[in-house]
Amino acid sequence: MSLITPDFGLLFWMTVVFLVVLLILWKFGFPVIVNMINERKAFIDDSLRKAHEASERLANIQKEGEDILQEAREKQALILKEATQTRDAIVEKAESKAREEGARLLNDAKAQIEAEKQNAIRDIRTQVAELSVQIAEKVLRSRLTDTKEQNALIDRLLDDMAVGANKE
């Protein structure tokens, strides 16, 4: 039965050894273990705090990035709007200038055509006048052989001219 129930001496020495080991652990082991646990806890708390700060900084950076991107989009829209307005103004100015140039060229062409027309009419009148004088001269030479006929023709022409001057 000594295997199942320990002897009083064995129990005493086991208790003494247990108390000594407990005292040594209490004095040297537990403070080191507690200190290591506290340091580990502080390290974990510090890491969590840093992770939270990093997460907040990342969120702030993302927000700033989105703000910068939004500002860039607004500037891009403004620049595109200004470019469109400038393009429209340039196109309108070019169209206006083209219309003015077209009107000027058309007016110049009309003036040149009118001048050429007047020159042609003048030339035709001159030619008709020359031909009329030549024809009249030939007719008069052939018909007016004596002075009596010449005087009668001159009187008629003077009368015709007087009637024509009264009409005007």
Side-chain angles (χ1 to χ4, degrees), residues 73-104:
R73 285 184 185 135
E74 290 171 1
K75 285 183 181 178
Q76 178 187 18
L78 181 64
I79 289 171
L80 286 174
K81 183 180 177 184
E82 289 174 357
T84 302
Q85 290 173 344
T86 303
R87 181 202 64 203
D88 291 344
I90 290 171
V91 167
E92 185 177 326
K93 185 177 179 181
E95 287 175 350
S96 174
K97 191 172 184 178
R99 279 193 294 273
E100 289 172 4
E101 184 68 17
R104 185 188 63 78

Side-chain angles (χ1 to χ4, degrees), residues 10 24 34 39-40 52 80 133 146:
L10 179 66
I24 292 173
V34 168
E39 286 176 7
R40 181 72 179 154
H52 183 67
L80 286 174
V133 168
D146 65 5

Side-chain angles (χ1 to χ4, degrees), residues 40-131:
R40 181 72 179 154
K41 181 181 180 281
F43 177 76
I44 290 172
D45 289 343
D46 188 47
S47 295
L48 286 174
R49 183 184 51 77
K50 287 180 181 177
H52 183 67
E53 288 174 2
S55 175
E56 286 178 357
R57 269 191 252 140
L58 180 62
N60 288 338
I61 290 171
Q62 285 177 341
K63 185 179 181 211
E64 288 175 10
E66 289 173 3
D67 291 344
I68 290 171
L69 189 60
Q70 181 64 30
E71 184 178 331
R73 285 184 185 135
E74 290 171 1
K75 285 183 181 178
Q76 178 187 18
L78 181 64
I79 289 171
L80 286 174
K81 183 180 177 184
E82 289 174 357
T84 302
Q85 290 173 344
T86 303
R87 181 202 64 203
D88 291 344
I90 290 171
V91 167
E92 185 177 326
K93 185 177 179 181
E95 287 175 350
S96 174
K97 191 172 184 178
R99 279 193 294 273
E100 289 172 4
E101 184 68 17
R104 185 188 63 78
L105 289 174
L106 185 62
N107 288 337
D108 289 350
K110 284 180 181 179
Q112 186 178 2
I113 290 170
E114 185 64 29
E116 289 177 8
K117 178 181 167 186
Q118 293 299 326
N119 286 339
I121 290 173
R122 200 173 313 116
D123 287 345
I124 291 172
R125 284 183 182 168
T126 303
Q127 289 175 2
V128 168
E130 288 175 7
L131 286 175

